[in-house]
């Protein structure tokens, strides 16, 4: 059984492979021939790398020095006097410092240059050595051609070095293992057995990511940079039997924290796979409290198969501490569907309506009378308020245009309960899917990725995409907290939610308040105990023509529960104009609290309590980091205001000083 581990250094085909446990072999691959080599250039020393012993740390730096062409020495050591135990050491370039002046008649020439290159290692937890300082630049020329002349290299026997794995740095946080998903009987680490359904899809180990020249180094450097700048950065890599990269998944600290807030509905975006882009990008996307898309993780997938999708999904679920979303939205890819069922069996899985309707010209464009077919299809999908209306309209379309043999439409009809809005009224989507004809959906990386974007180009644009997205969210936070919203009616519902909702969500709700005036003739049609049924008529525009439509609204008087047949509250998370009319008709002056979704509120992040943490062991370092990050977000956002910035900065610096005092006491 093979494993892929999360470490401080990525497992990749251009650097040494490091595993959390067990032996690892260094393998290098020629990207054209795929030939194996036994030698690879070791990665540079990095702050945070840890080793099992002082000797391993020394050997790691010595091997790196040998490949670069310089020698090393222990220039300083610190010992605990009582136990005579070394707890800190400085490993320097052999050219560091200067020799004392000799009084001999013929002193040897000075060979040292005061070189600053060095690493400082420190004993942590009384058992591991961690790199705490690094300086890689030399003030003299280094040359691999003369490396055999340095004293520190003479101890390294070539045969011994080849037969032994290099020192194994481990993550500063902990090691996470993720087992492959090929059919292999029982799978441990909390994962269920591979099902018979998946077993009918034999694993194809020949598929891997097709990296061009420069891509592998770019991706490797990207992970190194992210891990150094964000300790809570998470990534996993999946290798085939020949050491080639099959799948990659990653999520930065902000994405992991965002999932704690917005984990109710998640869209799995496979646009790059569907459109055959050069990079096989798969993204996990949610919706924040402004209705904006927020990235919850992404990855590269080597092949569109059940096995590969399962690996990506399990990596994402592991990253999010095993807490699955309530609703998952994807396209109709069959392997994708099987993998969702395998990894998220309790989640409600639906197909994105927008994705499906975008394919109508491709699938039906060649048919005679295409424009009329499309109008009929749109009417059935978007305008049906009841299931019987959809069924009747669909049947009329099939019969009128002779589409009974169209396999694509047959498949859509068979799967109608997973994508047609009239069948989805009992599911809360938090505004994730468009349910109106004029609504659209953009991928998170829209504008940053095109058909021929390379891996190297993408990782260069990744930071920019996230920066702009988070700047947009921060700007929306400031506008929502500091702006006074313009009221357009005298309705108390508008006043009530202007004090609660973020600006973007309030604007959408405000449209429903204004729309109350297009509704008329609110009439009671039946009474069943405390439940009263109303019919609200509204003038609507359908295909350029004004029509009067009747909307059925149920109102429960004792609990003040209300539900409209249009089900806008479940789709978007705020009440529709028809329900507001009935509340107003019954003299209800304020919207009941159950219909004010907390996720749309201005103070949502600062007041949010992560329910997923209840089932997590609190002695988990990943949980600590996630929880601290969520607690820090309100401080950062509040401190970003001009009058609070200096206060927040001062307090953070004081906290760091206290941490340093604690560290000094420990050593």
């Amino acid at each position: 059984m093979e494993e892929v581990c999360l470490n401080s250094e990525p497992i990749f085909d251009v650097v040494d492979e490091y595993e959390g446990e067990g032996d690892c072999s260094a393998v290098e691959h020629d990207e054209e021939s795929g030939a194996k080599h036994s030698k690879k250039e070791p990665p540079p020393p990095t702050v945070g790398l840890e080793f099992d012993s002082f000797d391993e740390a020394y050997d790691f730096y010595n091997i790196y020095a040998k490949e670069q062409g310089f020698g090393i020495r222990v220039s300083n050591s610190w010992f605990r006097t009582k136990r005579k135990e070394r707890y800190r050491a400085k490993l320097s370039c052999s050219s560091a410092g200067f020799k004392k002046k000799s009084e001999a008649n013929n002193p040897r020439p000075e060979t040292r240059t005061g070189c600053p290159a060095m690493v400082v290692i420190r004993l942590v937890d009384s058992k591991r050595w961690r790199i705490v300082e690094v300086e890689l630049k030399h003030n003299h020329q280094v040359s691999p051609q003369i490396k055999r002349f340095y004293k520190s290299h003479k101890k390294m026997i070539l045969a011994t070095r080849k037969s032994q794995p290099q020192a194994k740095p481990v993550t500063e946080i902990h090691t996470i293992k993720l087992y492959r998903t090929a059919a292999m009987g029982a799978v441990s680490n909390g994962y269920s057995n591979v099902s018979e359904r998946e077993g009918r899809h034999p694993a194809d180990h020949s598929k891997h990511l097709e990296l061009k020249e420069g891509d592998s180094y770019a991706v490797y450097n990207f992970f190194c940079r992210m891990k150094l700048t964000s300790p809570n950065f998470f990534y996993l890599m999946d290798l085939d039997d020949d050491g080639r990269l099959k799948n990659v998944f990653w999520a930065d600290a902000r994405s992991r924290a965002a999932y704690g807030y917005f984990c109710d509905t998640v869209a799995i975006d496979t646009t790059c796979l569907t459109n055959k882009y050069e990079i096989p990008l798969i993204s996990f996307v949610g919706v924040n409290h402004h209705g904006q898309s927020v990235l919850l993780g992404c990855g590269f997938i080597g092949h569109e198969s059940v096995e590969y999708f399962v690996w990506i999904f399990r990596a994402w679920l592991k990253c999010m501490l095993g807490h699955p979303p309530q609703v998952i939205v994807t396209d109709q890819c069959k392997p994708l569907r099987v993998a969702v069922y395998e990894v998220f069996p309790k989640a409600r899985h639906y197909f994105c309506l927008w994705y499906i309707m975008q394919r109508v010209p491709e699938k039906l464009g060649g048919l005679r009378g295409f424009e009329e077919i499309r109008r009929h299809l749109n009417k059935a999908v978007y305008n049906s308020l009841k299931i019987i209306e959809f069924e009747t309209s669909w049947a009329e379309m099939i019969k009128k245009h002779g589409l009974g043999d169209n396999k694509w439409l047959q498949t859509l009809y068979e799967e109608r309960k997973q994508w047609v809005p009239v069948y989805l009224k009992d599911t809360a989507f938090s505004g994730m899917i468009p349910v109106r004809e004029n609504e659209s959906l953009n991928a998170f990386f829209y504008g940053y990725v095109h058909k021929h974007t390379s891996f190297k180009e993408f990782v260069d644009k990744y930071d920019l995409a996230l920066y702009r997205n988070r700047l947009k969210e921060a700007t929306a936070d400031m506008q929502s907290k500091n702006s006074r919203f313009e009221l357009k009616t005298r309705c108390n519902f508008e006043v009530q939610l202007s004090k609660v909702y973020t600006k973007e969500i309030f604007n959408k709700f405000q449209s429903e308040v204004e729309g109350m005036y297009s509704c008329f003739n609110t009439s009671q049609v039946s009474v069943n105990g405390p439940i009263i049924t109303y019919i609200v008529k509204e003038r609507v525009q359908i295909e350029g023509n004004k029509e009067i439509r009747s909307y059925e609204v149920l109102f429960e008087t004792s609990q003040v529960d209300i539900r409209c047949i249009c089900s806008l509250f479940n789709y978007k998370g705020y009440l529709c104009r028809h329900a507001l009319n009935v509340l107003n008709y019954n003299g209800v002056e304020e919207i009941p609290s159950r219909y004010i979704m907390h996720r749309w509120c201005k103070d949502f992040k600062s007041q949010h309590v992560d329910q997923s943490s209840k089932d997590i062991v609190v002695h988990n370092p990943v949980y600590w980091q996630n929880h601290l990050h969520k607690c820090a977000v309100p401080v950062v956002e509040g401190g970003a205001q001009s009058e609070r910035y200096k206060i927040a900065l001062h307090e953070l610096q004081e906290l760091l000083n206290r941490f340093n005092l604690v560290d000094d006491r420990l050593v």
Side-chain angles (χ1 to χ4, degrees):
M1 182 180 297
E2 299 184 45
E3 302 171 353
V4 176
C5 304
L6 168 65
N7 289 299
S8 297
E9 293 296 328
I11 301 170
F12 213 63
D13 59 345
V14 296
V15 295
D16 292 333
E17 298 177 19
Y18 292 106
E19 296 278 349
E21 296 176 4
D23 295 335
C24 301
S25 58
V27 181
E28 181 177 351
H29 293 271
D30 185 87
E31 291 185 350
E32 296 181 359
S33 64
K36 291 184 182 180
H37 305 282
S38 60
K39 180 181 177 182
K40 293 166 119 181
E41 183 180 346
T46 305
V47 173
L49 291 186
E50 294 185 359
F51 306 88
D52 292 334
S53 66
F54 172 83
D55 290 338
E56 283 191 356
Y58 180 91
D59 291 343
F60 172 79
Y61 190 46
N62 199 20
I63 291 173
Y64 167 77
K66 191 174 191 298
E67 294 298 327
Q68 296 296 315
F70 68 94
I72 70 168
R73 58 189 173 85
V74 181
S75 60
N76 207 346
S77 291
W78 290 261
F79 293 84
R80 292 189 175 94
T81 54
K82 292 182 179 181
R83 289 179 286 175
K84 295 183 179 181
E85 177 188 25
R86 191 198 319 250
Y87 68 88
R88 189 181 180 96
K90 182 178 180 180
L91 309 180
S92 301
C93 171
S94 57
S95 295
F98 297 95
K99 293 181 179 179
K100 294 181 180 180
K101 291 184 179 181
S102 174
E103 298 180 358
N105 294 330
N106 295 308
R108 293 182 180 180
E110 177 63 73
T111 57
R112 298 185 184 180
T113 63
C115 181
M118 59 85 194
V119 298
V120 176
I121 57 177
R122 190 178 74 181
L123 187 65
V124 293
D125 299 333
S126 300
K127 56 183 178 180
R128 296 196 307 277
W129 285 83
R130 177 186 300 167
I131 296 179
V132 294
E133 292 182 43
V134 172
E135 175 57 61
L136 298 180
K137 293 183 180 180
H138 299 261
N139 64 2
H140 59 94
Q141 185 178 2
V142 294
S143 174
Q145 282 72 32
I146 61 171
K147 59 188 177 184
R148 62 183 179 276
F149 297 113
Y150 290 106
K151 292 181 179 179
S152 64
H153 304 155
K154 291 182 179 180
K155 298 178 181 179
M156 295 194 301
I157 302 172
L158 184 61
T160 303
R161 180 168 60 86
K162 285 186 176 182
S163 65
Q164 294 180 350
Q166 294 183 13
K168 299 173 288 186
V170 298
T171 177
E172 185 170 343
I173 307 170
H174 73 312
T175 299
I176 296 175
K177 301 175 183 177
L178 186 64
Y179 291 92
R180 298 187 187 277
T181 54
M184 60 181 70
V187 177
S188 60
N189 204 30
Y191 297 134
S192 60
N193 293 346
V194 178
S195 67
E196 294 180 2
R197 179 188 68 259
E198 186 183 344
R200 291 195 292 268
H201 299 271
D204 186 352
H205 295 286
S206 65
K207 302 295 183 181
H208 57 88
L209 297 175
E210 298 180 2
L211 302 173
K212 295 183 178 180
E213 184 177 359
D215 286 345
S216 56
Y217 284 100
V219 175
Y220 167 68
N221 290 333
F222 167 72
F223 284 128
C224 285
R225 184 179 76 252
M226 295 299 293
K227 190 63 184 175
L228 285 173
T229 57
S230 177
N232 208 22
F233 179 75
F234 181 103
Y235 64 88
L236 284 174
M237 294 187 175
D238 185 21
L239 307 176
D240 66 14
D241 295 334
D242 296 323
R244 292 176 297 184
L245 193 60
K246 295 167 60 179
N247 303 301
V248 183
F249 170 80
W250 73 91
D252 67 5
R254 291 291 295 269
S255 293
R256 300 181 75 182
Y259 183 72
Y261 300 120
F262 312 115
C263 59
D264 44 3
T265 303
V266 174
I268 301 176
D269 183 4
T270 54
T271 303
C272 293
L273 304 179
T274 304
N275 297 329
K276 307 299 181 183
Y277 280 24
E278 185 169 324
I279 56 169
L281 176 68
I282 181 170
S283 306
F284 298 83
V285 182
V287 173
N288 68 9
H289 51 309
H290 301 288
Q292 302 166 344
S293 295
V294 57
L295 188 66
L296 305 175
C298 56
F300 299 131
I301 188 167
H303 182 51
E304 294 182 57
S305 65
V306 174
E307 177 201 8
Y308 284 58
F309 281 125
V310 165
W311 188 93
I312 286 284
F313 294 165
R314 284 181 172 168
W316 180 71
L317 189 61
K318 192 74 175 177
C319 174
M320 301 309 172
L321 305 179
H323 181 59
Q326 300 168 23
V327 178
I328 295 177
V329 181
T330 71
D331 67 12
Q332 295 171 283
C333 169
K334 288 185 178 180
L336 187 63
R337 281 186 280 173
V338 174
V340 167
Y341 181 76
E342 177 72 26
V343 183
F344 311 105
K346 295 182 179 180
R348 305 185 73 170
H349 181 207
Y350 300 105
F351 304 142
C352 182
L353 172 61
W354 186 82
Y355 286 152
I356 293 174
M357 300 307 286
Q358 286 294 301
R359 302 186 69 187
V360 170
E362 171 195 345
K363 296 295 185 179
L364 306 178
L367 300 178
R368 180 180 297 179
F370 166 69
E371 289 300 330
E372 187 177 355
I373 294 173
R374 180 161 63 176
R375 283 195 295 270
H376 206 148
L377 178 61
N378 287 346
K379 181 180 179 181
V381 172
Y382 292 113
N383 298 329
S384 298
L385 292 176
K386 297 181 179 180
I387 291 177
I388 188 62
E389 292 180 18
F390 171 79
E391 297 287 351
T392 301
S393 185
W394 185 278
E396 289 176 355
M397 177 189 68
I398 298 297
K399 182 178 180 180
K400 181 177 180 180
H401 300 286
L403 301 173
D405 295 330
N406 188 288
K407 293 184 178 180
W408 186 65
L409 289 176
Q410 287 177 2
T411 301
L412 287 184
Y413 182 74
E414 291 170 359
E415 298 172 344
R416 61 193 181 280
K417 294 182 181 180
Q418 285 186 274
W419 67 276
V420 179
V422 74
Y423 289 96
L424 312 181
K425 292 185 176 183
D426 293 328
T427 302
F429 287 98
S430 304
M432 176 59 72
I433 62 172
V435 292
R436 292 170 176 167
E437 187 174 350
N438 60 346
E439 292 180 328
S440 61
L441 181 68
N442 286 331
F444 182 86
F445 291 106
Y446 178 78
Y448 298 93
V449 177
H450 55 77
K451 197 172 186 68
H452 300 292
T453 299
S454 66
F455 289 87
K456 182 180 184 301
E457 291 173 322
F458 176 75
V459 296
D460 288 340
K461 293 179 179 179
Y462 174 85
D463 286 338
L464 178 61
L466 263 65
Y467 170 76
R468 288 179 175 174
N469 177 265
R470 287 160 183 169
L471 180 62
K472 184 179 178 182
E473 180 178 322
T475 302
D477 283 338
M478 296 291 290
Q479 291 176 345
S480 296
K481 292 177 181 178
N482 301 329
S483 301
R484 297 186 65 179
F485 302 151
E486 179 186 358
L487 302 181
K488 298 182 179 180
T489 71
R490 296 181 180 179
C491 180
N492 194 56
F493 299 148
E494 185 183 16
V495 176
Q496 178 189 4
L497 294 194
S498 69
K499 301 174 182 178
V500 178
Y501 276 176
T502 60
K503 183 179 180 180
E504 185 64 28
I505 301 302
F506 173 73
N507 289 341
K508 294 177 179 179
F509 172 75
Q510 192 176 49
S511 297
E512 294 303 313
V513 176
E514 291 183 282
M516 290 172 63
Y517 296 97
S518 66
C519 300
F520 63 97
N521 194 22
T522 300
S523 58
Q524 178 179 315
V525 294
S526 68
V527 178
N528 183 10
I531 300 177
I532 305 175
T533 302
Y534 292 88
I535 294 295
V536 178
K537 294 185 178 181
E538 181 191 8
R539 294 183 181 91
V540 298
Q541 192 163 336
I542 300 177
E543 297 181 356
N545 301 318
K546 287 188 176 181
E547 298 182 8
I548 295 178
R549 301 207 68 183
S550 297
Y551 295 85
E552 186 178 284
V553 181
L554 301 181
F555 180 61
E556 202 277 334
T557 56
S558 61
Q559 300 295 325
V560 195
D561 284 339
I562 194 162
R563 177 166 182 175
C564 178
I565 196 170
C566 78
S567 201
L568 184 70
F569 180 75
N570 278 347
Y571 293 146
K572 301 297 182 180
Y574 46 84
L575 287 178
C576 63
R577 58 195 66 183
H578 321 112
L580 295 175
N581 252 303
V582 171
L583 289 176
N584 187 60
Y585 182 85
N586 282 272
V588 179
E589 296 184 354
E590 288 193 346
I591 296 174
S593 59
R594 69 176 65 88
Y595 299 111
I596 302 177
M597 288 191 67
H598 192 46
R599 74 173 337 274
W600 301 137
C601 294
K602 302 175 186 180
D603 61 350
F604 172 66
K605 283 190 174 181
S606 60
Q607 300 298 324
H608 174 74
V609 177
D610 186 7
Q611 298 298 324
S612 66
S613 64
K614 292 180 178 180
D615 299 326
I616 298 171
V617 179
V618 294
H619 299 293
N620 185 335
V622 173
Y623 166 74
W624 294 340
Q625 287 209 354
N626 282 347
H627 188 64
L628 285 173
H629 190 278
K630 291 171 188 174
C631 294
V633 166
V635 176
V636 174
E637 293 176 347
Q641 302 178 34
S642 58
E643 66 274 12
R644 301 176 181 174
Y645 171 73
K646 291 184 178 179
I647 298 174
L649 185 61
H650 174 74
E651 293 299 324
L652 289 174
Q653 288 175 338
E654 286 294 317
L655 184 60
L656 287 175
N657 291 336
R658 290 169 60 187
F659 287 163
N660 292 333
L661 288 175
V662 173
D663 289 342
D664 291 341
R665 286 196 214 102
L666 292 176
V667 298

